[in-house]
Amino acid sequence: MVLKVEDVASNFIHDIIDKDLQEGLAEEIHTRFPPEPNGYLHIGSAKAIWINYTIAKKYGGKFNLRYDDTNPVKEEEEYVISIEEDLMWLGAIPSGGIFYGSDYFDQCYEYAKKLIIDGKAYVCDLSQEQMSEYRGTLTEGGKESPYRNRSVRENLELFEKMKAGAFAEGECTLRAKIDMSSSNMNMRDPVLYRIIYASHHRQGDKWCIYPMYDFAHPIQDAQEGITHSLCSIEFENHRPLYDWVIDNIGVSHKPHQYEFARLNMTYTVMSKRYLRKLVETNVVDGWDDPRMPTLCGLRRKGYTPSAIFEFISKSGVSKTFSIADVKFLEHCLCTELNETAQRRIAVTQPLSVIITNYPSNEIEYFDISNNPQKPEQGKRSLPFTNELYIEQSDFLVEPAPGFKRLVLGGEVRLMGAYILKCNEVEYDEKGNAAKLLCTVDLETKNNKPADGRKVRGTIHWLSAGHTLDAQFRIYNQLFNKENVSSLLEDDNFEEFLDPDSLEVYDNCKMELALEHAKTGENIQFVRQGYYVKDSKHDGVFNRTAPLKSSYRPK
RNA sequence: UGGGCUGUAGCCAAGCGGUAAGGCACCAGACUUUGACUCUGGCAUUCGUUGGUUCGAACCCAGCCAGCCCAACCA
């Protein structure tokens, strides 16, 4: 079980439910996650999933997955499949079942007819432009449609014809008769049904009229016995319409809508529309690019469901607009992986070391802990020879103040092995250190020096003859602007794209044990970060997160 | 400019009339064969603001200010 419901802190929605339970307004709690299959799920979706799932779990109720598929031109089967995959990966099993909003099209249609009969809905012939004019503005009420007072009989006939395909797209709509002077734009005779000649991914060509979200959603909730219909805050203005539909279609079970603030993260775009654009313009490698905030992207990057939920849980649920720090997500991940990830050694940018006082034909093995804090995770043996690789960044000819690693004439601990001293440097034609000639203090094999001298640095190493080649991919934020969610209206968020969001290192060396690395298995490359084997390309390892470092070179 | 919602530290966020939880970040130290982890200490005399009510206000009232959402036949 990935979700630890016991640990879930209460929030304002829990308070509402407690009260409803106490006052007998609800008996069994029933929630739902209603994604539109028009894109891949992202970490913001995970927040909605988490809220709904944990509520059902906490109150012993049920949790539905329901595809909100009322607009055939935007929705695709591919997304339906991915949504279920992601939900299963998260471990948020829909205990109440999996449903499709489109399965209620017949009921929606019947309810629409009931509204017409009750004189609460009418067929309107206004064009889109006209309707917009008639709607009025934020500060002025609208005008009533000239078609508002058609007879029930005429409306019924017209609606029937709409359904039968007698009209072209846009020729007419079915509208609720509410209040054109309402200060809430949503109540100014909202459209209930529109004509769309498009095949539906489940209904095929059965329909050419499709219900709008505002009409379909409360019906779906009522059908499924949802008690608390939770959505994000931009739907707050829609609640009066939600209630209007519930009150006027005549259902005994009356679900209620509550709103919470959606998840925003620093340096991250969350809108599906923009994520799709990133995919379509090839800024990223697909929906599952590890830089994407999509669940499949996070998965490919090495994130775990538990870390994602930990982050969401600890971030809290409120109605306040907020932007969570991606660093906090990373912190939740690292806290978990520090416990679970086995340690391995890899050298990202190799620098050759020849140990001049170690026999060239000798090989010995050092047992290295798989996790020093978790001895139960065991050890593995690493071969040691006179030719090693160390990290280029672990050697400096002209060390900055505070540099604790290897310098010419200095000593450093080879992790789990000897103390190494650098005696001579060979340079390449560009003047960079290419090879170090070193000696090893054979007395310090896993021991402190007998003379008590202090060697402060510890570096990782690999025997040059015993490595695997790999490519490391290091992912940084896609955007270099902290608050990208605020400029969603500009179409040109491209100018904030960080050109260095992907760093590729070829020629990386890893210890032999990585031959058996599995996709999804988190490992820590010691002193560097957490990595996973890429699920798409062989020999590629993705950095999930770097290790923190208090070293600040001047 | 109409309506709705929101304002507690750099970032999240508890708090629900009795005197500002917690986490992240940050700073200072300890420990360290991962500059990781861990540990210790520091970090809001004040809750957007101004008044009012009260023995007592972040909590109640009024005004003001700021931010977000709404004028798709999208969700």
Side-chain angles (χ1 to χ4, degrees):
Chain A
M1 171 47 62
V2 170
L3 294 161
K4 293 163 287 178
V5 177
E6 319 76 73
D7 300 339
V8 172
S10 187
N11 58 51
F12 78 97
I13 302 173
H14 291 30
D15 294 343
I16 290 168
I17 293 173
D18 288 338
K19 192 160 169 281
D20 288 349
L21 251 15
Q22 211 167 42
E23 295 174 355
L25 294 174
E27 285 172 15
E28 183 174 288
I29 302 304
H30 206 147
T31 59
R32 102 270 95 115
F33 171 59
E36 182 187 17
N38 66 342
Y40 282 65
L41 259 31
H42 51 65
I43 192 166
S45 323
K47 177 177 181 178
I49 292 167
W50 180 87
I51 289 173
N52 283 290
Y53 180 86
T54 52
I55 284 175
K57 199 86 178 166
K58 174 175 175 178
Y59 293 96
K62 290 206 168 84
F63 165 64
N64 293 0
L65 165 62
R66 181 176 66 229
Y67 295 99
D68 203 347
D69 54 354
T70 56
N71 187 348
V73 306
K74 292 197 170 181
E75 295 142 12
E76 288 174 36
E77 184 70 19
E78 176 196 353
Y79 300 131
V80 171
I81 293 164
S82 76
I83 286 169
E84 201 169 323
E85 245 175 51
D86 288 343
L87 203 69
M88 294 305 133
W89 176 68
L90 288 175
I93 312 300
S95 57
I98 298 176
F99 303 88
Y100 294 82
S102 54
D103 287 352
Y104 309 120
F105 281 173
D106 285 310
Q107 285 94 324
C108 288
Y109 179 69
E110 291 307 319
Y111 283 131
K113 283 206 293 197
K114 174 181 164 43
L115 290 179
I116 292 172
I117 290 166
D118 292 345
K120 291 169 179 167
Y122 61 97
V123 173
C124 180
D125 298 354
L126 249 28
S127 70
Q128 212 160 142
E129 298 70 38
Q130 289 172 317
M131 202 184 287
S132 175
E133 278 171 41
Y134 274 73
R135 187 154 26 232
T137 66
L138 293 177
T139 49
E140 294 164 40
K143 283 186 297 182
E144 292 187 351
S145 163
Y147 307 98
R148 201 175 200 254
N149 295 313
R150 296 218 251 224
S151 69
V152 168
R153 181 195 200 87
E154 190 184 3
N155 279 321
L156 240 23
E157 279 172 15
L158 255 15
F159 188 48
E160 201 67 43
K161 286 173 83 176
M162 277 173 68
K163 183 190 177 224
F167 302 115
E169 275 187 25
E171 213 174 320
C172 54
T173 57
L174 182 74
R175 292 227 259 167
K177 193 186 285 187
I178 307 181
D179 179 9
M180 288 308 290
S181 66
S182 173
S183 55
N184 183 340
M185 303 294 288
N186 295 122
M187 300 300 271
R188 320 240 263 227
D189 287 13
V191 170
L192 264 21
Y193 263 95
R194 76 291 215 190
I195 298 169
I196 301 176
Y197 290 98
S199 281
H200 188 277
H201 73 110
R202 302 198 94 222
Q203 301 287 326
D205 296 319
K206 178 178 175 188
W207 302 89
C208 65
I209 54 170
Y210 291 91
M212 299 287 288
Y213 166 87
D214 284 320
F215 184 55
H217 207 88
I219 292 173
Q220 296 162 2
D221 285 340
Q223 285 289 325
E224 291 174 18
I226 300 304
T227 51
H228 298 258
S229 180
L230 310 175
C231 61
S232 47
I233 219 133
E234 62 269 31
F235 288 99
E236 211 154 23
N237 293 329
H238 294 245
R239 192 174 50 214
L241 180 50
Y242 183 100
D243 292 340
W244 184 92
V245 172
I246 289 296
D247 289 341
N248 286 286
I249 57 176
V251 282
S252 51
H253 172 76
K254 299 193 173 189
H256 291 279
Q257 175 184 304
Y258 302 93
E259 310 84 16
F260 57 87
R262 65 190 314 151
L263 177 68
N264 296 295
M265 285 203 301
T266 53
Y267 304 104
T268 307
V269 156
M270 209 68 88
S271 127
K272 270 197 247 178
R273 184 180 149 216
Y274 284 88
L275 293 178
R276 185 181 301 105
K277 196 168 169 187
L278 290 170
V279 172
E280 285 169 355
T281 54
N282 295 314
V283 169
V284 296
D285 184 23
W287 286 94
D288 66 347
D289 186 293
R291 290 166 294 180
M292 294 280 273
T294 49
L295 294 176
C296 52
L298 289 165
R299 184 193 310 147
R300 189 171 162 206
K301 193 177 175 184
Y303 271 74
T304 63
S306 43
I308 290 170
F309 283 137
E310 177 73 1
F311 162 70
I312 290 166
S313 176
K314 282 195 165 170
S315 292
V317 178
S318 73
K319 298 187 73 162
T320 316
F321 174 86
S322 63
I323 305 177
D325 195 340
V326 249
K327 285 286 172 196
F328 184 51
L329 206 212
E330 199 168 281
H331 167 263
C332 293
L333 195 259
C334 290
T335 302
E336 176 183 320
L337 295 190
N338 182 47
E339 299 287 314
T340 58
Q342 292 215 345
R343 267 107 256 225
R344 293 289 182 267
I345 291 179
V347 177
T348 309
Q349 298 180 91
L351 172 60
S352 287
V353 167
I354 306 294
I355 302 174
T356 54
N357 68 334
Y358 197 85
S360 61
N361 56 355
E362 186 155 333
I363 176 166
E364 68 182 309
Y365 289 87
F366 290 102
D367 284 341
I368 310 276
S369 177
N370 287 328
N371 187 341
Q373 276 120 74
K374 302 245 165 185
E376 65 272 22
Q377 287 184 12
K379 298 179 172 186
R380 82 277 183 200
S381 279
L382 276 192
F384 183 91
T385 62
N386 72 320
E387 290 188 37
L388 307 179
Y389 288 131
I390 65 167
E391 206 70 59
Q392 283 175 22
S393 58
D394 283 338
F395 174 79
L396 239 37
V397 181
E398 291 171 24
F403 188 74
K404 300 203 302 195
R405 284 107 96 157
L406 192 59
V407 299
L408 181 57
E411 284 187 316
V412 81
R413 164 70 65 179
L414 292 176
M415 187 181 287
Y418 302 106
I419 286 176
L420 179 82
K421 181 174 187 180
C422 176
N423 304 303
E424 203 178 326
V425 189
E426 290 182 7
Y427 298 92
D428 62 17
E429 60 282 358
K430 289 179 189 162
N432 296 318
K435 185 184 280 185
L436 307 182
L437 301 182
C438 302
T439 49
V440 113
D441 182 347
L442 294 165
E443 303 302 311
T444 59
K445 176 173 173 176
N446 245 325
N447 273 319
K448 296 218 184 324
D451 59 12
R453 69 186 192 277
K454 287 270 187 277
V455 174
R456 292 184 60 213
T458 300
I459 65 171
H460 56 279
W461 54 273
L462 243 25
S463 164
H466 303 83
T467 65
L468 250 29
D469 290 330
Q471 181 190 80
F472 286 180
R473 293 185 184 175
I474 291 178
Y475 301 99
N476 304 305
Q477 299 307 326
L478 222 29
F479 297 92
N480 50 30
K481 183 181 166 64
E482 189 172 81
N483 183 359
V484 210
S485 53
S486 73
L487 63 282
L488 286 182
E489 285 313 308
D490 312 355
D491 229 2
N492 51 343
F493 63 89
E494 287 89 345
E495 64 181 289
F496 299 111
L497 281 171
D498 190 332
D500 300 319
S501 58
L502 170 62
E503 292 173 46
V504 175
Y505 290 87
D506 289 305
N507 198 32
C508 302
K509 308 292 183 188
M510 309 183 295
E511 60 175 272
L512 269 9
L514 272 311
E515 192 183 345
H516 309 293
K518 291 189 284 284
T519 296
E521 176 190 3
N522 298 100
I523 47 181
Q524 184 197 99
F525 284 138
V526 147
R527 299 212 307 131
Q528 308 203 78
Y530 297 100
Y531 281 76
V532 261
K533 186 179 192 298
D534 186 58
S535 54
K536 279 190 170 169
H537 308 289
D538 258 359
V540 171
F541 281 74
N542 299 319
R543 188 174 78 179
T544 313
L547 249 28
K548 280 199 279 187
S549 173
S550 57
Y551 175 51
R552 303 268 182 278
K554 294 273 155 49

